[in-house]
Amino acid sequence: LKNNLSERCICSRFAFYLQNLIAHSLEYNNYIVDVEYNRKSDEPKKVLGDSKHITVDLIVHRRGCNKHNLICIEMKKSINGRKIKGIDKDKDRLCIMTSRNSNFAYRIWFMIIAYINTKKLDIEDTFYLKNLSI
């Protein structure tokens, strides 16, 4: 954050730390953290009934099926507290990924802001589906 790196670079480093935490978790150690992973088997992820591809910045899942999709994350950078471009579209993607009517069925989403001036990551918004077993 102190070097004002790209959003993709910040997100990939965040994924590295998150994967380390998950790997040491008894309950979730068989989950994988992927950055901009856009595959369902060998096909690009698409919204049901639409030809549009969909990708979020970071996901926590088990590869190969949609039954064990856990977390999806979008990340944005903020410099000098300026309005963040594209945040609404990112949140829309997160809503699609967690919709009960979607073919992705992620259980939790986070919108994370990387504040360059204060060198902090903040959770801007979150959503989780209640009463779903993993």
Side-chain angles (χ1 to χ4, degrees):
L1 294 173
K2 74 178 185 175
N3 293 325
N4 192 17
L5 300 172
S6 72
E7 173 188 307
R8 189 173 293 155
C9 185
I10 295 167
C11 190
S12 67
R13 183 44 100 186
F14 179 79
F16 172 79
Y17 290 112
L18 184 58
Q19 181 65 62
N20 191 34
L21 288 170
I22 287 173
H24 291 90
S25 161
L26 293 177
E27 190 172 357
Y28 301 107
N29 63 359
N30 53 354
Y31 282 78
I32 301 294
V33 178
D34 281 313
V35 176
E36 295 192 8
Y37 190 84
N38 68 344
R39 293 283 184 248
K40 179 183 173 192
S41 298
D42 58 349
E43 294 290 319
K45 286 188 178 189
K46 294 181 183 177
V47 177
L48 264 180
D50 196 339
S51 61
K52 187 169 71 174
H53 296 182
I54 188 163
T55 304
V56 294
D57 291 335
L58 189 148
I59 59 174
V60 179
H61 66 139
R62 289 189 196 163
R63 291 182 185 155
C65 71
N66 281 334
K67 186 177 180 186
H68 299 285
N69 289 336
L70 187 58
I71 301 170
C72 55
I73 296 173
E74 285 283 4
M75 186 176 284
K76 288 289 190 192
K77 274 178 37 175
S78 177
I79 302 169
N80 295 326
R82 283 187 260 157
K83 186 174 188 265
I84 302 166
K85 288 183 181 179
I87 195 167
D88 292 333
K89 287 183 180 181
D90 283 2
K91 285 184 181 180
D92 289 345
R93 269 193 304 280
L94 291 169
C95 288
I96 289 168
M97 299 295 275
T98 55
S99 169
R100 290 181 190 265
N101 300 324
S102 82
N103 52 323
F104 308 112
Y106 283 85
R107 284 140 177 89
I108 304 166
W109 65 253
F110 294 100
M111 182 74 235
I112 297 177
I113 309 297
Y115 289 98
I116 300 305
N117 291 2
T118 59
K119 297 165 186 58
K120 292 183 181 180
L121 294 178
D122 249 351
I123 296 173
E124 149 81 15
D125 205 353
T126 187
F127 171 82
Y128 67 96
L129 292 172
K130 297 177 184 170
N131 302 325
L132 283 179
S133 61
I134 297 172

